[in-house]
Amino acid sequence: MKSDGLKRGLEKAPQRSLLKALGYTDEEIQRPWVAVVNSANEVVPGHAHLNQLVDAVKAGVRMGGGTPMEFSVIGICDGIAMGHQGMRYSLASREVIAASVEMQVMAHAFDAMVLVPNCDKIVPGMLMAAVRLDLPAIVVSGGPMLAGRFRGKDVDFISVMEAQGAALSGTMSEADLEELEECACPGCGSCAGLFTANSMNCLVEAIGLGLPGNGTIPAVYAQRLRLAKQSGMRIMNLLTKNIRPKQIVCKKSLLNALAVDMAIGGSSNTVLHLLAIAHEAGVELTIDEIQEVCDRTPNLVRISPAGEGKHHMQDLNEAGGIPAVMGELLSQGLIDPNVPCVGAENIGQLVEGKKTLDPQVIRPVDEPYMPTGGLAILKGNLAPEGAIVKHSAVPENLLRFRGRAKVFDDEESAVDAMNGGGIKEGDIVIIRYEGPKGGPGMREMLNPTATLAGRGLGDKVVLITDGRFSGGTRGAAIGHVSPEAMEGGPIALALEGDEIEVDIPARRLTLLVRDEELIRRREGWRPPPPRVEWGFLAIYSRLVSSASRGAVMA
């Protein structure tokens, strides 16, 4: 065991004395050490209950014969950070989380890890750390929030985001908005729709690093406490067999995860995070390969914000969860069953024969919503390295669209224009200099998309950005445009009034400007000064890669 080098022998008496100061007995010290990584805090609803979950994990580790040792990492709530400078820190926090887990585990010679995250950047940050460290590891998330109820209808956080736009435009009263605000988020857990947090928690199962139910069992169910105990016991089995993340996270498992992502219509941010996880695993995964998976995988699920918010995460759980989705895909040979996983010898053993329990929530593979996946990669002269759109959440009339550009160099000015009536039906809104370097931090654009929806423009306007979108976004919201404006990507050359053509079925995004004119514009282009010149964001903006490569610090 790795910890033996720190705790055994006469020369390690000083280290043992410090451990005994914590109350550890000789027996506990001699057992395998399991890091229990906890992102609990009193800021994020998805993390408010994690201490109870961690206690269950530690009980499982002890039942399995190990010694659990808990430490904490930071966690940012994207919803609370939304719409102000705090959102610049969200994606950057992924790198801090991965690095802090690395530092704590390496400094204290742990033998294995149980990672207990929830919410948008915390899950991928911990996954990146697990692969980077390559010690036996398992992930058990905090689970989704239940949907709220507003006048007989299921609602969630995105319902409030969109309602604020309605209230600002005068189509909803302030009193009604306040009533919705009171009931939309009824308790702990990651927000109830298939937003980024829940998308990533589902993909933990698909990759093979979490037990069945990790993505869908609601936070408040006792079943999640049992899952946590089982995960604690299971890590000891993984340690005994020396089953490590890099044996699990390989090209085939990432392609499986992408297939599930396309089938459920997950957040567009999942592509950003899967690319980053692939980077940690030393696996080459390209935008073109992602598109190939999308093209061959049917879309089987429409969870809020898709499907007009009719279904939420508890509905997906009751319909059979991710095992049912994978079972449907496996029946058509759309996933590889031979990939190792933490819950069995391979994924096939977990999902073989699993089928949907509710075809209204998980459609059978031969009756999909769409024959292709919920995400689409667009390319063209506006996005030579690609852009991403949540295809399953785009209204039919916007799948092919041509309009004139309204160009903004930051999110705030775009939202001001929307609230001031400056955006009209048929416009294509460009928000640039919001990429990983330019933002810095690649802010989510849920505020603009929710404002458009609240003003009745969600099916009448296209939004294009080198920033990114929340998993709660719906409409023709095209993000991750690469190269970003700060790197001199073509999005930096677009001018007010330029005509742009969007063709999502053909996977094309075209700035209808002659090449000679774009060359002329490029000769006159100069990058703006950096927005942030101090602290971690300044370091991040200098080191971060393109979104097309996962926005990793390299």
Side-chain angles (χ1 to χ4, degrees), residues 14-81:
Q15 286 92 332
R16 290 195 297 271
S17 71
L18 290 172
L19 291 165
K20 288 179 178 180
L22 293 165
Y24 289 111
T25 65
D26 284 328
E27 182 179 355
E28 287 174 302
I29 293 170
Q30 295 311 314
R31 288 178 176 180
W33 292 0
V34 178
V36 181
V37 187
N38 184 3
S39 59
N41 58 59
E42 295 182 351
V43 181
V44 186
H47 297 189
H49 63 304
L50 292 188
N51 285 332
Q52 184 183 18
L53 208 62
V54 161
D55 286 343
V57 167
K58 291 191 286 190
V61 171
R62 293 188 184 100
M63 285 189 283
T67 297
M69 297 181 181
E70 176 188 345
F71 66 85
S72 299
V73 297
I74 62 168
I76 289 174
C77 178
D78 279 26
I80 296 173

Side-chain angles (χ1 to χ4, degrees), residues 217-288:
I217 298 170
V220 295
Y221 285 12
Q223 187 182 359
R224 184 153 291 275
L225 291 174
R226 296 195 295 273
L227 180 74
K229 289 180 183 177
Q230 291 161 357
S231 297
M233 290 186 284
R234 189 67 182 172
I235 192 62
M236 301 311 299
N237 178 269
L238 298 173
L239 178 58
T240 298
K241 295 182 177 180
N242 194 29
I243 297 172
R244 291 169 286 107
K246 284 187 178 178
Q247 296 169 264
I248 294 170
V249 182
C250 59
K251 187 66 165 279
K252 291 179 178 178
S253 70
L254 290 168
L255 292 177
N256 279 353
L258 280 165
V260 171
D261 199 12
M262 301 304 170
I264 64 177
S267 164
S268 58
N269 287 317
T270 56
V271 172
L272 198 69
H273 300 320
L274 288 173
L275 287 169
I277 293 162
H279 173 79
E280 296 290 349
V283 174
E284 184 178 354
L285 183 65
T286 68
I287 291 289
D288 291 337

